[in-house]
Structures are given as structure tokens and as C-alpha cells.
Amino acid sequence: MLLLLGGLVVLFICYDIIQTTLAASNSGPLTTRLAEGIWYLLLCLHRRYHLPRLLQAAGPWITIGLFLTWVLGLWLGWWLVFCGEANAVVSSSTGEPAGRVERAYYVG
């Protein structure tokens, strides 16, 4: 089950990356929602505290947030894939299956 879920997460993130970076006019579904959410948050902060420089810096913040989301999403997806099978990652010295933390390290 984790293997399938991880594969779906990886495919969804890859689709979003390809749609966002290669499409001429449309962004991916995750990119669209994330950019709108960050813009809405920054706009609310601007309206409440009158921070015009915050809106001027919105583009880089949205880009950084999007990049981090993609990286963390791929990391999560591959971690789920490698957690789907008990012997997917084993210690080279002992031959014992790796724990969840070791799998996260391996995927990262």
C-alpha cells in the first residue's frame, strides 16, 4: 500500500513540475494552489500591517515555497516507496533491514 501511495505522490509531483516548467500558459495543480495560497497569505499580512515590500518580494517567496514543496514532495514519495517493502533498504554491514529514519536518509 505504501509503495503504491509513494508512487502516486512521485508521479503527481513530477506531473506538476513538468506542467509548470514546460507548459506555455498553465501551471500544475499543486503549483496553482500553492502560489494562490502564499499570495493570499501575503496579501492578508499586507492589508493588516501595511507592508508593501512584502508584496514586492512575493515572487521570490512563491518560487522558494514551490521549490521546497517539490523537493519535500519527492522526498516523501520516494520514502513511501522504499518503506513499502521490508527489504528495500538493508544495511551493508549487517544485512538487517533499515528503519524508517535510515530510509529517509537514504532517499534524501
Side-chain angles (χ1 to χ4, degrees):
M1 182 66 178
L2 290 177
L3 180 69
L4 178 63
L5 181 61
L8 290 174
V9 169
V10 169
L11 286 175
F12 178 71
I13 296 293
C14 287
Y15 169 75
D16 192 75
I17 291 170
I18 291 169
Q19 180 71 26
T20 300
T21 58
L22 298 180
S25 60
N26 294 337
S27 296
L30 179 64
T31 299
T32 301
R33 287 181 179 85
L34 182 68
E36 287 174 355
I38 293 173
W39 177 253
Y40 178 76
L41 175 67
L42 294 176
L43 193 58
C44 288
L45 289 172
H46 167 69
R47 287 179 180 160
R48 182 172 180 129
Y49 300 109
H50 190 63
L51 302 168
R53 292 195 186 267
L54 191 64
L55 295 181
Q56 291 172 352
W61 283 110
I62 290 171
T63 304
I64 290 169
L66 181 60
F67 179 74
L68 289 175
T69 301
W70 285 343
V71 169
L72 292 175
L74 286 173
W75 194 354
L76 172 68
W78 283 113
W79 179 75
L80 289 170
V81 166
F82 283 104
C83 285
E85 176 62 35
N87 293 324
V89 181
V90 295
S91 172
S92 61
S93 58
T94 65
E96 294 292 319
R100 297 200 187 274
V101 174
E102 289 88 5
R103 290 171 198 253
Y105 178 77
Y106 175 78
V107 169

